[in-house]
Amino acid sequence: MATTTGHIIKETFPVLEMTCASCAVSVATMLQSTPGVEEASVNYADQTARVAYNRDSVTPVALRNVIRSIGYDLVIDEHNREQVQEQAQLDHYRALKKRTIASLLLSAPVVVVGMFLMDMPYANWIMMALSTPVIFYFGRQFFINAWKQATHRKANMDTLVALSTGIAWIFSVFNTLFPGYWHARGLHAHVYFEAAAVVVAFISLGRLLEEKAKSNTSAALKKLMGLQPATAIVVASDGIHTKEVPLSEVQVGDIIVIKPGARIPVDGRVESGSSWVDESMITGEPVPALKETGAPVFAGTINQKGSFHSRAEKVGGDTVLAQIIRMVKEAQGSKAPVQQLVDRIAGIFVPVVIGISLLTFAVWMLAGGENAFTHGLLSAVTVLVIACPCALGLATPTAIMVGVGKGAENNILIRDAESLELAHKVNAIILDKTGTITEGKPVVTDSYFLPGDKDLNELQRILLTMEMQSEHPLAAAIVKELQQKGITPLAVGKLEKIESITGKGIQAVYNKTLYLAGNTTLMTDNGIRAEDAVLRMISKWEAVARTVISFAANGQLLGIIAIEDEIKPTSASAIRSLQNSGIAVYMLTGDNEHTAEAVARQVGVRHYKAGVLPSEKAAFVQELQRDGRVVAMVGDGINDSHALAQADVSIAMGKGSDIAMDVAKMTLITSDLNTIPKALRLSRKTVFTIRQNLFWAFIYNVIGIPLAAGVLFPVNGFLLNPMIAGAAMALSSVSVVSNSLRLKWSKI
């Protein structure tokens, strides 16, 4: 998927042939050093490169050629990029599986001979014959990739494997061909064919298991993509016949036939017919929704028993499902802040390990006694074999991928890894009232127009026309109520100087008279005060959590309207859960003090502020941040977007405005507030998994490398066998990925 800003294109390309975390660093470095590339990052876990480049200076073909020069490949096919990557990965997996099986079959007899039958005739020659194809044919990729890296003065995991197995093989061949060299010096001519062969076999096996495990980390994304039907049944231009076409050929405006039990292919509206549709994958609501003429339908949702026609409104990448898939993909490919440190470590890891290996050999030669050369060579090879940047490189991205996927399965869309890493630190959460704590579907419950000389019908027509100009949900409730009473709006152009007053209401001029509709603040600002009887009525309505809208003109109150927005049944339990977790919950609303107090009391919110303007919401977020709080903001409207952008963690309700969802780092595709504690628990578990992974990856190398160098030899004569080192290295990567996969089965 590509996004364009001026001449700069941001695009994600699948990368092929990467085998370790250092490979990802090499690819990123080559891309970043290419003229015309503004920014590049590579994710080893999902095998993709995200590149921002100037389309006037560099092309995808040029980027691919740069990457091919160091032994990797870039998929630049625009139409079926994912399918090409998937097929290439499948081919790679199959080839790796064949090489691994062959390596294991040939290595097994080498191990038996090397361990138990060393004195048999021609033992060394048999081992050389069996190990050579393992190392140089089935393990040829290690040497090919290492050479390509070396030509660019780079090194990766393949460099370590090629150096260690190559040196061990050359040393063993020399000892097989010229055993007399050592015998003349009173030493035995040791060979390490079995170590070299088994290292190749074990590392191949480790990579095979790693590939298998990594494919499972994107299972949630594959499940989402599986919700998209491949074809759609479209009504032909004659309006009678139908034809089945690929999904990519569906155009906006096409009439789609939706049969019983079928998945809806694109977003649209019901043109004719009716049915119940299971929208749980979009809304999280388990009960099917009734769809009649004019009702919206979404791609990926499942039609129940009825049949209907829908008119396509959003196709391809514009559908809600496609946007969800895109958001999950981008989040899985994004990097948590801790990953940047790990990337820097992985980038210098291989050269440092080669340095440690050379130092190990030098120390053995200086202080190793009569077998110094043999022990030194063996230890240097073992250091190269046991060192593993892969476990480090996989520690964070695999946990992030599984965490983001787990979120998607639980109606939590996470935009980037940073928010997932930060959410567990949240200790203050701000909730908007309308549409977040409440249903966001306000209805008029009472209205009272004061007696006067003005015609009531005309007043209601003026009020209807004014409120039709507002986007506020309370205005929509008044419009719906008046239209149901049969009130019609004024003719177009009759209202003049219509102005929406942020956080207060709306005003307009009609027949040279200024009319106002809004909250108490708007009335007070204009010097309008209600009589005591009306004030008592307002207080009575507000005491039961109803919002009162006043209507006035010429400094006189004309009427009041009470609007009720039902509190969501899950709001109180969600707020209680957050507070029990030690998180301070605040409710901010533009509503009046009495209504805010009534809602806060009903849901158990201890801290609330009423009459808050949109800019004041953002200021309140800043105030909490200055007090050292990590703040999460939850909202659903355009008026929340500033505060969402200011917050450390921003959460949008999925049924809210597009702007709120664009700004937010997390989106809840359900209206259930209980999803918020789930999102915070998911963050906590993901971060804990990352820390576990990093601990084991670091501790493995901290313990393994000194052991391989022979640090225990002066104490108890222990030297680590390269075969065991190879197995341990392979196991470290597999264990990290497997630990991340545990997130899939955990309960949030």
Side-chain angles (χ1 to χ4, degrees):
M1 185 67 197
T3 55
T4 307
T5 309
H7 293 279
I8 302 299
I9 294 177
K10 291 183 179 179
E11 203 161 356
T12 301
F13 299 101
V15 184
L16 307 179
E17 308 297 333
M18 287 198 300
T19 55
C20 71
S22 296
C23 298
V25 175
S26 295
V27 172
T29 305
M30 289 299 288
L31 287 171
Q32 285 162 355
S33 62
T34 304
V37 172
E38 300 284 319
E39 186 185 345
S41 65
V42 178
N43 187 312
Y44 173 49
D46 70 355
Q47 306 276 297
T48 58
R50 299 174 74 186
V51 188
Y53 63 95
N54 188 323
R55 58 185 175 184
D56 296 335
S57 305
V58 67
T59 64
V61 173
L63 294 175
R64 184 178 63 187
N65 291 339
V66 167
I67 298 311
R68 281 180 172 176
S69 72
I70 54 169
Y72 309 108
D73 203 355
L74 214 60
V75 180
I76 60 172
D77 189 303
E78 287 187 8
H79 302 294
N80 56 345
R81 197 169 281 174
E82 284 78 15
Q83 291 90 323
V84 170
Q85 182 188 28
E86 199 170 312
Q87 187 58 48
Q89 286 175 340
L90 183 62
D91 293 343
H92 171 70
Y93 178 80
R94 285 172 178 163
L96 181 58
K97 189 175 181 180
K98 286 177 184 174
R99 290 201 303 271
T100 302
I101 292 169
S103 299
L104 289 168
L105 289 173
L106 286 176
S107 298
V110 179
V111 172
V112 172
V113 173
M115 293 291 203
F116 309 109
L117 304 171
M118 271 303 295
D119 296 328
M120 70 179 282
Y122 306 108
N124 289 1
W125 292 93
I126 292 168
M127 288 191 290
M128 185 169 74
L130 290 172
S131 63
T132 301
V134 172
I135 298 163
F136 296 108
Y137 182 70
F138 299 118
R140 64 188 181 280
Q141 285 305 119
F142 296 119
F143 294 91
I144 293 169
N145 293 339
W147 173 252
K148 286 182 177 177
Q149 292 286 317
T151 57
H152 288 272
R153 296 181 181 177
K154 295 185 181 299
N156 65 1
M157 193 64 210
D158 292 328
T159 309
L160 298 183
V161 177
L163 276 174
S164 59
T165 56
I167 291 167
W169 184 85
I170 290 168
F171 180 60
S172 300
V173 168
F174 178 86
N175 290 356
T176 301
L177 297 174
F178 308 107
Y181 177 84
W182 300 106
H183 294 161
R185 288 160 178 77
L187 297 173
H188 183 69
H190 288 285
V191 295
Y192 298 101
F193 289 120
E194 80 283 2
V198 169
V199 163
V200 169
F202 275 170
I203 291 174
S204 299
L205 178 61
R207 287 187 177 173
L208 186 72
L209 295 173
E210 189 184 300
E211 288 289 326
K212 186 75 174 170
K214 277 198 301 185
S215 68
N216 289 333
T217 60
S218 57
L221 185 59
K222 288 175 183 172
K223 198 181 292 181
L224 280 173
M225 293 173 77
L227 296 175
Q228 295 176 302
T231 60
I233 300 172
V234 178
V235 176
S237 55
D238 60 9
I240 301 170
H241 297 93
T242 61
K243 57 180 177 178
E244 190 169 357
V245 300
L247 196 61
S248 58
E249 292 182 14
V250 177
Q251 303 292 317
V252 173
D254 283 351
I255 304 296
I256 314 291
V257 179
I258 312 295
K259 293 182 177 180
R263 283 196 185 275
I264 294 169
V266 295
D267 293 2
R269 289 191 180 274
V270 177
E271 189 78 4
S272 62
S274 66
S275 183
W276 293 85
V277 175
D278 178 359
E279 294 185 324
S280 56
M281 53 76 62
I282 294 285
T283 64
E285 308 294 340
V287 180
L290 176 63
K291 298 295 179 181
E292 297 178 304
T293 304
V297 291
F298 303 99
T301 57
I302 305 170
N303 184 27
Q304 302 284 292
K305 294 181 180 177
S307 177
F308 62 91
H309 288 186
S310 75
R311 183 178 293 277
E313 290 187 342
K314 291 181 178 179
V315 300
D318 295 330
T319 66
V320 170
L321 178 60
Q323 288 167 2
I324 290 171
I325 290 169
R326 185 158 61 247
M327 196 183 290
V328 171
K329 257 188 192 172
E330 287 175 0
Q332 287 190 331
S334 65
K335 290 189 178 181
V338 69
Q339 179 64 18
Q340 278 141 44
L341 171 64
V342 174
D343 281 350
R344 284 199 293 274
I345 294 169
I348 61 169
F349 188 91
V350 174
V352 167
V353 168
I354 293 171
I356 292 171
S357 176
L358 292 172
L359 180 64
T360 299
F361 182 73
V363 170
W364 271 103
M365 288 300 291
L366 292 171
E370 60 176 314
N371 291 320
F373 183 81
T374 305
H375 287 163
L377 185 67
L378 187 64
S379 297
V381 165
T382 308
V383 166
L384 293 172
V385 169
I386 201 166
C388 182
C390 300
L392 280 174
L394 288 166
T396 302
T398 51
I400 292 292
M401 285 178 73
V402 176
V404 169
K406 181 80 173 173
E409 288 172 0
N410 285 273
N411 300 310
I412 305 161
L413 289 184
I414 298 160
R415 189 177 289 275
D416 64 15
E418 186 175 358
S419 60
L420 184 61
E421 187 183 332
L422 188 60
H424 80 287
K425 295 181 181 176
V426 166
N427 51 22
I429 192 160
I430 299 170
L431 304 175
D432 176 48
K433 178 177 76 72
T434 306
T436 302
I437 291 175
T438 63
E439 292 283 6
K441 298 172 184 173
V443 291
V444 173
T445 57
D446 304 275
S447 61
Y448 174 71
F449 283 85
L450 281 74
D453 55 358
K454 288 187 179 290
D455 177 50
L456 179 59
N457 185 67
E458 186 179 37
L459 286 179
Q460 290 180 325
R461 291 184 71 197
I462 295 167
L463 177 61
L464 171 63
T465 311
M466 287 174 67
E467 296 291 14
M468 286 175 75
Q469 311 307 310
S470 174
E471 292 290 325
H472 201 283
L474 298 182
I478 295 172
V479 169
K480 185 177 179 181
E481 175 70 13
L482 292 174
Q483 286 179 333
Q484 284 177 345
K485 286 182 176 179
I487 306 298
T488 56
L490 300 171
V492 176
K494 285 289 184 181
L495 277 189
E496 300 175 315
K497 298 180 181 176
I498 302 165
E499 184 184 347
S500 180
I501 304 162
T502 304
K504 297 177 183 178
I506 192 167
Q507 66 181 33
V509 173
Y510 175 66
N511 284 346
K512 299 181 181 178
T513 301
L514 177 67
Y515 287 85
L516 304 167
N519 58 20
T520 307
T521 308
L522 182 64
M523 299 299 123
T524 304
D525 289 350
N526 286 273
I528 297 164
R529 191 182 183 283
E531 297 173 2
D532 289 345
V534 175
L535 285 174
R536 283 195 296 274
M537 192 181 297
I538 290 172
S539 296
K540 180 183 172 185
W541 287 348
E542 289 178 344
V544 288
R546 288 175 189 163
T547 302
V548 178
I549 298 297
S550 300
F551 183 44
N554 286 335
Q556 298 292 317
L557 190 68
L558 301 174
I560 53 174
I561 298 169
I563 299 172
E564 184 176 60
D565 187 5
E566 274 190 46
I567 293 170
K568 293 174 187 173
T570 56
S571 292
S573 63
I575 288 164
R576 189 164 55 250
S577 174
L578 290 167
Q579 289 172 338
N580 290 343
S581 302
I583 297 170
V585 180
Y586 299 83
M587 182 184 79
L588 300 186
T589 178
D591 219 330
N592 63 80
E593 178 71 25
H594 296 295
T595 305
E597 192 274 333
V599 171
R601 188 179 63 250
Q602 288 181 44
V603 297
V605 170
R606 299 178 195 131
H607 315 284
Y608 69 90
K609 286 186 79 172
V612 181
L613 297 174
S615 58
E616 293 171 338
K617 288 183 181 181
F620 185 71
V621 172
Q622 283 181 309
E623 188 182 318
L624 289 177
Q625 288 170 329
R626 278 195 297 271
D627 291 341
R629 301 286 191 125
V630 179
V631 183
M633 171 73 197
V634 186
D636 75 324
I638 294 170
N639 63 332
D640 298 319
S641 56
H642 187 186
L644 285 167
Q646 178 63 43
D648 299 295
V649 177
S650 45
I651 304 172
M653 306 302 287
K655 292 184 176 179
S657 73
D658 289 342
I659 291 177
M661 286 187 278
D662 284 345
V663 170
K665 296 296 178 70
M666 290 188 186
T667 300
L668 310 180
I669 7 182
T670 169
S671 58
D672 186 352
L673 272 188
N674 275 315
T675 314
I676 297 171
K678 276 188 178 183
L680 302 185
R681 282 195 295 273
L682 175 64
S683 167
R684 197 155 42 246
K685 290 194 173 191
T686 304
V687 169
F688 182 65
T689 302
I690 290 171
R691 286 175 179 167
Q692 278 183 325
N693 287 349
L694 288 173
F695 171 79
W696 288 115
F698 275 111
I699 208 75
Y700 164 82
N701 284 298
V702 166
I703 294 171
I705 292 174
L707 275 180
V711 74
L712 290 181
F713 188 79
V715 180
N716 58 12
F718 175 79
L719 268 182
L720 191 63
N721 190 305
M723 284 190 296
I724 306 300
M729 194 282 281
L731 187 63
S732 66
S733 296
V734 175
S735 63
V736 161
V737 179
S738 302
N739 190 47
S740 295
L741 287 171
R742 288 194 311 117
L743 261 177
K744 283 179 71 175
W745 319 119
S746 64
K747 190 176 179 183
I748 61 170

